[in-house]
Amino acid sequence: MKRIIYLTLFLFLPLYLIAGQYEVESPSKKLRVSISANDNLTYSVFYNDEMIIKPSVISMTLDRGILGKQPQVKNNSVNYVNRDLKPVVKQKYAVIKDEFNELRLDFENNFTLFVRVYDEGFGYRISTSFEDSITVKEEIFEANFANDFKVYFPQEESFMSHSERLYKYLPLSEIDEKSFCSLPALVDLNNSVKVTITEADLYDYAGLYLRGANSTVLKGLFPYYPAETEMKSDRDVYVTKRKDYIVRTNGTRNFPWRVFVVTDNDGALIENTMVYKLAQPHDPEIDFSWIKPGKVAWDWWNANNIYKVDFRAGINTATYKYYIDFASQHGIEYVILDEGWYKLGNLLEESPGMDVKEIVEYAKEKNVGIILWVIWKTLDDQFEEAMNLFEKLGVKGIKVDFMQRDDARMVNYYYKVAREAAKRKLLVDFHGAYKPTGLYRTYPNVLTSEGVLGLEHNKWSDDVTPEHNITIPFIRMLAGPMDYTPGAMNNAVKGNFRDIFTQPMSQGTRCHQLAMYVIYESPLQMLADSPTNYLREKESLDFLSIVPTVWDDTKVLDAKAGDYALVARRSGDKWFVGAMTDWNSRTLKLDFSFLDEDRDYEITIYQDGINADRNGNDYKIVRSTVRKGDMIEINLAPGGGWAAVID
């Protein structure tokens, strides 16, 4: 099946500006990357002819020498590519425009540097061509910014992490050498230009972190390969001793892309698709036509707290049949069986009161799929037996949890799970996970990943504020699908929030939660609250029943990172619009110029109620008609939201 249409023009140009200097521009010439190959291999970055990143070292130390030290270029070329990519799973677009200029520099000592420059950013990667295996002892990554800019810094405490962090907004100079963060991280250049750093096509290698340098430089940091581990529980496997290298790997290979998204438009951060474009395409010989994105009725967040029933709610067959009936009646494609369905430590033994085979068969009769939660280590220990059992049972996917690492060994585990799940036609949701790096393109059955401080934290903390909620679409979501798990039906205004583990609530308004289903991207999107609560809130459920999880088109109409976003997305002939704000009330203008045709459209609006600043559950539904080019005002309460369906 042909999924990529492309046009490629090869331009072999004399690139020498001065000795050892090479440059490549974006197609619009707005962004320019300069490579110096003299004593050291370095890159510099110019945006609108202004230097934003000063010369920064590119280097990799192998067991056979240092790549990038006294580099000798033997060949150079620029390749212009303009093609359309058609994703198997339409996260935000049915067709992705992939247009760039790529500089290729071949060096004497068996390595190549690729620099790919888009209008929306650039990436570079090293490729090696040694016959034997190699050991990567060290990689030098640095970004030497032109001034002391501020950075949204998701600071980590160790390499053992769920990558669920708040963003500290700090001057670069205040980040010391002991402070480091996971990715993505966003640098604010003070003149509306923003640079987001992340990586793509990570395989058989460790994840990249950034550390400070008490200056304007961010440097790379990597978890070295595990030498010894200690299993402290069924889910927590700590690295207690590490090798003195990042990885031993094939001598002929591509290393991960170092990705920089550069824009003067905050909304473009939400629209960006660079991680997808730089990831390894899926094998065209593998059939992925069976993949079915959709929404999931989720049990864990609401603590199976259903009511108005004649059975004891909990982790039992009757409760999950209730979830299945709810899903079937309201167009929800999946139900997840989260922690408790199996005896911890043994995926082959169900918990008392559970009959998974009966649940799966009942769900099949109701046209609902079942997804099973598993702890990664237990799955790894029982891999073949468990995966074959899941296939035999007829479940539709697995939620793999608590990896909490991204050293090379763990990165390879992700590929193993994705590959073997694909063979068995199983969807995958990675929880306790590092940020996405494009695996969702290589294996489209990987529909979503956590690696985000999401709604679950409301069960035990007050960290997940509307400000945080409107920061993550510009940073974490840029890396790929984001399993934030929205959908709370108990909504608290500022000052009224309480963390209650078994009866959780959200911060912000009801419409703040509804808008997440338009703004947040996750082809496997959770409905986190209790089915009974949704049935109590039928008008909200009506919206959740019809909102898609994949999109043909995305347009960010207005946005400011950390403050607000107004996003329109199209699925087929329908448009959905979502708006969210931080704890500040605000008025936004919505221009309907994005509509396709000049005709009357029916619009159903879910807006903050007049008392939503006092009671977050207050909202109002308005029905009207709109035409292309009409304009209305949207009034958002503190922590508020707005959602609309246009048909």
Side-chain angles (χ1 to χ4, degrees):
M1 182 182 299
K2 188 177 178 72
R3 296 191 180 276
I4 300 177
I5 304 168
Y6 61 90
L7 169 67
T8 307
L9 301 176
F10 293 94
L11 305 175
F12 295 97
L13 303 176
L15 298 174
Y16 297 95
L17 302 175
I18 57 176
Q21 296 287 332
Y22 306 84
E23 287 198 347
V24 59
E25 296 178 317
S26 67
S28 70
K29 304 186 185 304
K30 195 171 188 177
L31 183 63
R32 174 164 48 97
V33 179
S34 178
I35 302 296
S36 174
N38 291 302
D39 291 341
N40 294 295
L41 184 61
T42 66
Y43 72 97
S44 308
V45 184
F46 300 81
Y47 190 73
N48 287 331
D49 291 326
E50 180 181 351
M51 180 180 282
I52 59 173
I53 298 179
K54 297 186 291 187
S56 303
V57 170
I58 300 172
S59 176
M60 183 176 284
T61 301
L62 308 181
D63 52 349
R64 60 189 68 201
I66 302 175
L67 309 182
K69 188 74 172 177
Q70 300 293 330
Q72 300 295 315
V73 176
K74 60 181 182 179
N75 293 304
N76 65 83
S77 63
V78 169
N79 176 23
Y80 169 71
V81 175
N82 185 4
R83 59 190 173 188
D84 289 335
L85 308 179
K86 296 185 177 180
V88 174
V89 178
K90 303 176 294 185
Q91 180 185 336
K92 66 180 84 187
Y93 299 108
V95 178
I96 296 173
K97 184 176 178 61
D98 191 26
E99 183 182 12
F100 57 87
N101 288 314
E102 183 174 76
L103 167 65
R104 174 175 179 155
L105 297 177
D106 296 314
F107 295 90
E108 290 289 350
N109 50 338
N110 297 88
F111 84 99
T112 298
L113 178 71
F114 294 95
V115 183
R116 188 175 291 186
V117 186
Y118 299 83
D119 287 336
E120 65 266 37
F122 74 97
Y124 76 78
R125 82 183 321 172
I126 289 173
S127 178
T128 54
S129 54
F130 297 99
E131 290 185 5
D132 302 323
S133 63
I134 56 176
T135 300
V136 181
K137 307 282 286 185
E138 182 183 10
E139 179 186 344
I140 294 178
F141 169 92
E142 63 180 29
N144 182 9
F145 285 92
N147 287 295
D148 188 13
F149 302 125
K150 286 190 173 181
V151 57
Y152 290 85
F153 196 75
Q155 187 165 340
E156 296 284 355
E157 297 172 1
S158 78
F159 288 134
M160 184 73 171
S161 172
H162 291 270
S163 298
E164 300 172 13
R165 315 303 295 179
L166 292 170
Y167 295 93
K168 295 184 177 181
Y169 190 57
L170 302 170
L172 290 166
S173 61
E174 290 186 11
I175 304 172
D176 62 34
E177 294 183 356
K178 295 182 180 179
S179 299
F180 68 99
C181 75
S182 48
L183 299 181
L186 186 149
V187 182
D188 187 346
L189 274 57
N190 303 333
N191 57 354
S192 80
V193 177
K194 291 182 170 65
V195 178
T196 304
I197 302 174
T198 192
E199 60 181 334
D201 205 22
L202 173 65
Y203 68 92
D204 197 24
Y205 204 72
L208 170 65
Y209 294 74
L210 299 177
R211 66 175 177 85
N214 290 117
S215 66
T216 62
V217 182
L218 291 172
K219 294 182 177 290
L221 185 67
F222 299 89
Y224 279 20
Y225 199 86
E228 296 177 6
T229 60
E230 180 182 353
M231 187 171 173
K232 296 187 177 181
S233 69
D234 64 335
R235 63 203 63 191
D236 297 319
V237 181
Y238 286 80
V239 178
T240 55
K241 186 177 181 180
R242 296 185 184 273
K243 303 286 189 180
D244 62 351
Y245 56 80
I246 297 172
V247 70
R248 285 181 178 157
T249 186
N250 292 332
T252 299
R253 60 161 295 175
N254 294 318
F255 287 90
W257 287 100
R258 305 305 172 210
V259 180
F260 301 76
V261 174
V262 185
T263 183
D264 55 11
N265 174 7
D266 284 16
L269 297 168
I270 297 175
E271 296 174 340
N272 192 275
T273 56
M274 277 185 60
V275 170
Y276 179 90
K277 290 187 285 195
L278 291 169
Q280 178 69 25
H282 72 86
D283 184 342
E285 298 300 316
I286 301 177
D287 174 28
F288 288 107
S289 63
W290 53 271
I291 294 174
K292 181 182 178 182
K295 296 183 288 288
V296 186
W298 184 33
D299 55 344
W300 183 85
W301 189 78
N302 60 76
N304 282 301
N305 201 343
I306 59 179
Y307 48 97
K308 293 185 178 179
V309 295
D310 295 326
F311 56 86
R312 182 66 175 174
I315 300 171
N316 56 54
T317 300
T319 297
Y320 286 109
K321 285 185 175 181
Y322 178 89
Y323 276 85
I324 291 164
D325 288 341
F326 163 75
S328 178
Q329 292 164 13
H330 298 283
I332 297 163
E333 290 83 357
Y334 300 100
V335 168
I336 196 164
L337 278 57
D338 212 289
E339 182 167 4
W341 74 266
Y342 70 89
K343 286 192 174 181
L344 293 179
N346 185 2
L347 282 164
L348 309 179
E349 184 177 358
E350 297 171 1
S351 295
M354 290 292 294
D355 188 330
V356 175
K357 182 179 180 182
E358 181 180 344
I359 290 169
V360 172
E361 290 176 351
Y362 185 79
K364 185 177 181 180
E365 293 173 2
K366 301 281 187 173
N367 198 31
V368 173
I370 296 298
I371 296 171
L372 297 179
W373 173 91
V374 300
I375 289 172
W376 80 272
K377 184 63 170 67
T378 310
L379 177 63
D380 198 33
D381 290 342
Q382 301 178 310
F383 197 83
E384 288 296 324
E385 287 179 293
M387 294 291 279
N388 291 339
L389 173 62
F390 300 157
E391 182 181 23
K392 181 180 179 181
L393 284 170
V395 302
K396 299 301 182 182
I398 54 176
K399 175 182 175 181
V400 189
D401 206 351
F402 285 99
M403 289 75 69
Q404 304 176 84
R405 292 170 20 212
D406 60 353
D407 50 66
R409 179 189 288 176
M410 185 60 77
V411 168
N412 289 342
Y413 175 79
Y414 279 63
Y415 275 82
K416 172 185 173 182
V417 171
R419 180 179 64 251
E420 296 303 316
K423 290 179 181 178
R424 296 165 174 83
K425 295 186 177 180
L426 295 173
L427 305 174
V428 180
D429 173 5
F430 284 117
H431 258 237
Y434 61 84
K435 82 284 178 188
T437 62
L439 185 58
Y440 56 94
R441 181 181 183 189
T442 313
Y443 287 98
N445 58 310
V446 178
L447 286 186
T448 195
S449 298
E450 194 182 23
V452 63
L453 191 74
L455 190 76
E456 67 178 21
H457 283 258
N458 281 317
K459 288 167 71 77
W460 57 78
S461 80
D462 61 0
D463 289 339
V464 183
T465 64
E467 182 177 7
H468 172 75
N469 293 340
I470 201 58
T471 300
I472 53 179
F474 300 90
I475 305 177
R476 162 58 183 84
M477 199 169 76
L478 181 148
M482 182 177 75
D483 196 15
Y484 172 96
T485 68
M489 292 291 105
N490 294 319
N491 316 109
V493 299
K494 194 172 187 177
N496 288 352
F497 172 80
R498 299 292 183 273
D499 54 289
I500 304 173
F501 193 86
T502 57
Q503 288 186 290
M505 64 187 74
S506 70
Q507 299 185 58
T509 70
R510 172 69 54 77
C511 291
H512 190 80
Q513 288 289 307
L514 297 182
M516 291 177 179
Y517 287 85
V518 180
I519 294 176
Y520 289 177
E521 295 164 6
S522 181
L524 197 67
Q525 186 67 279
M526 302 292 157
L527 273 68
D529 218 324
S530 162
T532 322
N533 286 350
Y534 289 123
L535 293 170
R536 183 194 70 203
E537 301 288 347
K538 186 177 183 307
E539 291 177 325
S540 293
L541 179 58
D542 287 345
F543 175 79
L544 296 176
S545 294
I546 64 170
V547 66
T549 65
V550 290
W551 306 98
D552 293 309
D553 196 10
T554 294
K555 297 182 185 296
V556 179
L557 308 177
D558 194 6
K560 185 177 180 183
D563 289 346
Y564 63 89
L566 176 59
V567 180
R569 300 191 194 264
R570 180 176 60 80
S571 175
D573 295 329
K574 284 187 179 181
W575 283 93
F576 292 76
V577 182
M580 294 168 60
T581 184
D582 55 13
W583 278 130
N584 295 305
S585 62
R586 64 182 79 242
T587 299
L588 302 177
K589 290 184 178 180
L590 172 55
D591 185 340
F592 289 96
S593 296
F594 62 86
L595 293 175
D596 302 304
E597 302 175 24
D598 189 13
R599 63 171 178 86
D600 284 341
Y601 289 81
E602 299 294 325
I603 183 170
T604 301
I605 297 169
Y606 298 75
Q607 64 186 41
D608 292 329
I610 194 169
N611 295 304
D613 61 333
R614 298 173 57 190
N615 186 330
N617 298 306
D618 186 31
Y619 70 99
K620 181 180 179 180
I621 297 177
V622 177
R623 293 179 174 86
S624 183
T625 60
V626 293
R627 295 183 68 90
K628 183 180 179 70
D630 284 354
M631 185 174 290
I632 64 172
E633 285 191 345
I634 296 173
N635 295 306
L636 303 174
W642 190 95
V645 186
I646 306 171
D647 192 3

